Amino acid sequence: MLFEALFFQLGYNATLVTFGATLLGVAAGVTGSFLFFRKRALVSDAISHATLPGVALAFIVMVALGFDGRSLPGLLIGSAISAAAGLFAVQWLASRTRLTEDAAIGAVLSVFFGFGIVLLTVIQTMSSGRQAGLESFLLGSTAGMLYADAILIAAGGALALLLVAIFRRPMMMVSFDPEFARASGINLDRTDLIMMGLVMGVTVIGLKIVGLILIVALLIIPPVAARFWSDRADRVVLIAGVLGGLAAWIGASASAVAPNLPTGPIIVLTAFALFAISMLFAPARGLLISAVNHRKFQRGVHIRQGLVSLAQGQPIYEPLTIRLLRTEGLARADGVPTENGIARASRVLRDEKRWETARADPALEMAAARYDGLMQIEDVLTSDQIAELDARIGGPKGLPA
């Protein structure tokens, strides 16, 4: 069943829901990247929690006017207005009072969410509110999603991606270097407003699928996971979109197979699994690769320092160093160097003298500071500079007897 859901074989409506969720995941990953770059991840949490009273008030208003209180467009409009009010409250408190931004976010988040819970309690006392299903906006649900709802969510995700493509350059500049962006003629306040507006839009359209409590995870986890795969901002944005789309695709497919399970938590758990995989196995920054590189570096330092000791006629007391030298065929078990070890030790000792001489030269001091114990001097200095160092050191000398 899950295989069929993943490859859109569970029927037209399930396919549409899965496609809409995937598009939302891509939009959330891409949009959340700029929040991650801007170091304003908690703002998305305040926006998401601020949507709850808007959902409840929109339901009450629509029922009072004789409309269907569960109409998704009306609920999304109410949540958007409420989210905008919450965002304005955060910015006003942070700029007009002595509260820091995180304190303002905490205040707004708790007040708006508490007000929303009170309104939901009131709705449950209404004759038309007992089967409203508004609790699905807390954790997300695709089981009762209609065709029009899925189209609305998919269109919202596509629009968010289009706006990111249009405003990508100024948002990137503001995220990394606000002062340079200002000097380049970019309006910081307007760009921040666009960025927050995109986050608010993705938050609002994601309420039905992920829920207001967990939408922040879909905005933040994919960019954090993508950071393990690349150091370039544009690639991080692209990878975050792919990871967000994967999490939503797999989560929505699982929810289609087991409709009693909440959609939002499944998507978030899938996103966390992708984060864990990235953290462990990413080729450049993954923990396993870092551990392997560290062990390789440690091994290289032991061998190099052992060769320096051999070149200076000093005894080696570290068992690991002797074992590594034996493994490389550079020394015997008693610490006596082999012919290959003698040649390698002479080269290593000469390189150490080169580095020492370079550090004492003001013209080469900055370049020599890059030496980490293993770096080859040919990778840092030119052949002319190395020849000049050799002239100062003198000719090669054999190992002490």
Side-chain angles (χ1 to χ4, degrees), residues 312-338:
Q312 296 175 341
Q314 298 174 353
I316 301 174
Y317 299 104
E318 177 60 48
L320 176 60
T321 303
I322 296 177
R323 186 165 66 250
L324 292 174
L325 290 174
R326 287 182 58 197
T327 303
E328 296 290 327
L330 301 174
R332 300 199 305 258
D334 56 1
V336 176
T338 62

Side-chain angles (χ1 to χ4, degrees), residues 298-317:
Q298 189 180 39
R299 175 189 177 95
V301 169
H302 273 277
I303 292 175
R304 189 174 182 90
Q305 294 305 313
L307 289 172
V308 170
S309 297
L310 292 178
Q312 296 175 341
Q314 298 174 353
I316 301 174
Y317 299 104

Side-chain angles (χ1 to χ4, degrees), residues 132-297:
L134 296 185
E135 66 277 358
S136 65
F137 284 89
L138 296 177
L139 298 176
S141 174
T142 58
M145 188 178 296
L146 303 176
Y147 168 81
D149 299 341
I151 289 294
L152 179 63
I153 292 171
L159 179 60
L161 287 175
L162 177 62
L163 292 175
V164 167
I166 294 173
F167 296 106
R168 177 186 62 84
R169 183 176 176 274
M171 288 195 302
M172 196 77 76
M173 294 178 66
V174 169
S175 296
F176 284 100
D177 196 339
E179 295 306 319
F180 176 75
R182 190 192 303 274
S184 301
I186 295 176
N187 189 310
L188 263 62
D189 293 335
R190 184 171 59 195
T191 304
D192 260 338
L193 184 62
I194 292 172
M195 192 184 304
M196 292 301 106
L198 286 171
V199 172
M200 185 181 72
V202 171
T203 300
V204 169
I205 63 175
L207 291 180
K208 183 64 176 176
I209 293 179
V210 186
L212 63 90
I213 294 178
L214 298 174
I215 184 63
V216 61
L218 197 57
L219 284 163
I220 299 304
I221 292 179
V224 174
R227 183 66 180 86
F228 285 103
W229 295 93
S230 179
D231 291 327
R232 293 184 54 180
D234 53 347
R235 291 181 182 175
V236 170
V237 173
L238 181 62
I239 296 171
V242 172
L243 295 178
L246 275 175
W249 173 47
I250 297 172
S253 298
S255 178
V257 174
N260 291 329
L261 294 178
T263 309
I266 296 177
I267 292 177
V268 171
L269 288 175
T270 305
F272 176 76
L274 295 175
F275 165 77
I277 292 172
S278 302
M279 181 177 64
L280 291 174
F281 301 108
R285 301 165 63 91
L287 294 183
L288 291 182
I289 298 299
S290 297
V292 170
N293 290 337
H294 176 73
R295 187 173 181 82
K296 183 179 178 181
F297 177 82

Side-chain angles (χ1 to χ4, degrees), residues 85-97:
L87 179 59
F88 172 79
V90 169
Q91 292 182 332
W92 188 88
L93 288 172
S95 61
R96 300 296 181 88
T97 69

